[in-house]
């Protein structure tokens, strides 16, 4: 029995190691390559005749999703967000990973219908690196609460990362209608998700509340009344009269 139990545990350990070994090529990447791919995710390239190259690794996208979770958690705390069911950490992780995995699967399904040349791992990598613009925009606008500044970053930084993904999908899709459906869906979902993250967990500016509710009045405080100062001579005379009476 001891031999069988040991054999069973050893087989489980070897199978687990084999599963980890399958995922190892997707995370075998140098920091210099991740930095270069982050910069490339903000630079759209207009090349339609040949399919653009997509990095088939998941280390950078996974780190960007975790970074987005941390930024979203910071926004929840500064805006005093109250979660009735669950925790702030669970909500942030569910929102970010749900978008990354859910939208990647949906776009991959559309790409399969539109005959686009892209795999599921490439789609996860493309959308994951596309979240780099979201991280920059939310990090700035969660700390500087101006809606005009958010719209500038939304169109500038978020738009560049979206155009990068759209350009890659256009180069890998044949047909104008297929390109319009696939790229339009991805651009709409990506830009709307950034709007949702901003307005769902954004700190309300106190000036707007002052305008709607009126100026905040200071609380009423009780102060001691002014008591006239009595001279020492009057006090001495009063004490002597009381003493003689007694």
């Amino acid at each position: 029995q001891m031999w069988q139990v040991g054999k069973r545990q050893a087989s489980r350990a070897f199978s687990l190691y084999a599963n980890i070994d399958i995922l190892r090529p997707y995370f075998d990447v140098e920091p210099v390559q991740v930095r270069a791919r982050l910069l490339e995710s903000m630079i759209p390239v207009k090349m339609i005749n040949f399919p653009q190259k997509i990095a088939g690794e998941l280390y950078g996208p996974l780190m960007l999703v975790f970074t987005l979770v941390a930024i979203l958690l910071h926004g929840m705390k500064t805006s005093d967000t109250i979660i009735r069911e669950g925790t702030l950490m669970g909500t942030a992780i569910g929102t970010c990973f749900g978008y990354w995995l859910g939208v990647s699967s949906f776009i991959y399904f559309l790409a399969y219908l539109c005959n686009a040349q892209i795999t599921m791992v490439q789609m996860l990598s493309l959308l994951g690196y596309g979240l780099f613009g979201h991280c920059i925009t939310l990090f700035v606008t969660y700390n500087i609460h101006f809606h005009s500044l958010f719209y500038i970053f939304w169109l500038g930084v978020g738009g560049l990362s979206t155009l990068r993904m759209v350009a890659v999908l256009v180069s890998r899709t044949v047909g104008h209608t297929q390109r319009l459906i696939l790229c339009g869906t991805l651009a709409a979902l990506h830009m709307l998700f950034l709007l949702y993250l901003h307005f769902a967990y954004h700190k309300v500016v106190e000036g707007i509340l002052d305008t709607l509710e009126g100026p905040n009045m200071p609380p009423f405080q009780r102060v001691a009344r002014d008591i006239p100062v009595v001279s020492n001579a009057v006090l001495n005379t009063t004490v002597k009269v009381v003493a003689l009476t007694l």
Side-chain angles (χ1 to χ4, degrees), residues 54-205:
I54 302 176
E57 52 95 6
L58 299 177
Y59 176 78
L62 189 63
M63 292 300 104
L64 281 173
V65 174
F66 278 118
T67 304
L68 187 61
V69 168
I71 295 173
L72 186 59
L73 188 63
H74 168 68
M76 289 179 178
K77 291 182 177 179
T78 55
S79 61
D80 298 330
T81 303
I82 299 176
I83 305 298
R84 295 183 178 180
E85 297 181 0
T87 60
L88 295 179
M89 180 66 73
T91 303
I93 292 176
T95 302
C96 298
F97 275 91
Y99 172 78
W100 182 44
L101 298 176
V103 174
S104 297
S105 302
F106 179 68
I107 297 299
Y108 174 72
F109 175 71
L110 282 182
Y112 176 77
L113 296 179
C114 297
N115 294 325
Q117 301 176 4
I118 190 170
T119 62
M120 185 62 188
V121 176
Q122 290 176 340
M123 190 65 235
L124 287 171
S125 178
L126 181 64
L127 186 62
Y129 277 109
L131 294 174
F132 181 57
H134 286 32
C135 292
I136 296 176
T137 303
L138 294 177
F139 179 76
V140 174
T141 55
Y142 276 162
N143 295 282
I144 304 176
H145 306 286
F146 291 105
H147 289 294
S148 58
L149 181 64
F150 165 73
Y151 288 121
I152 293 173
F153 274 82
W154 180 64
L155 291 175
V157 181
L160 285 176
S161 61
T162 305
L163 285 177
R164 168 67 179 180
M165 294 189 298
V166 167
V168 172
L169 288 180
V170 166
S171 66
R172 290 175 170 266
T173 309
V174 179
H176 296 287
T177 305
Q178 290 84 349
R179 289 174 178 174
L180 182 62
I181 294 174
L182 185 61
C183 299
T185 304
L186 177 60
L189 291 175
H190 202 63
M191 297 297 284
L192 290 176
F193 180 64
L194 183 55
L195 282 176
Y196 168 74
L197 292 181
H198 175 74
F199 288 103
Y201 310 106
H202 184 263
K203 185 177 180 180
V204 179
V205 181

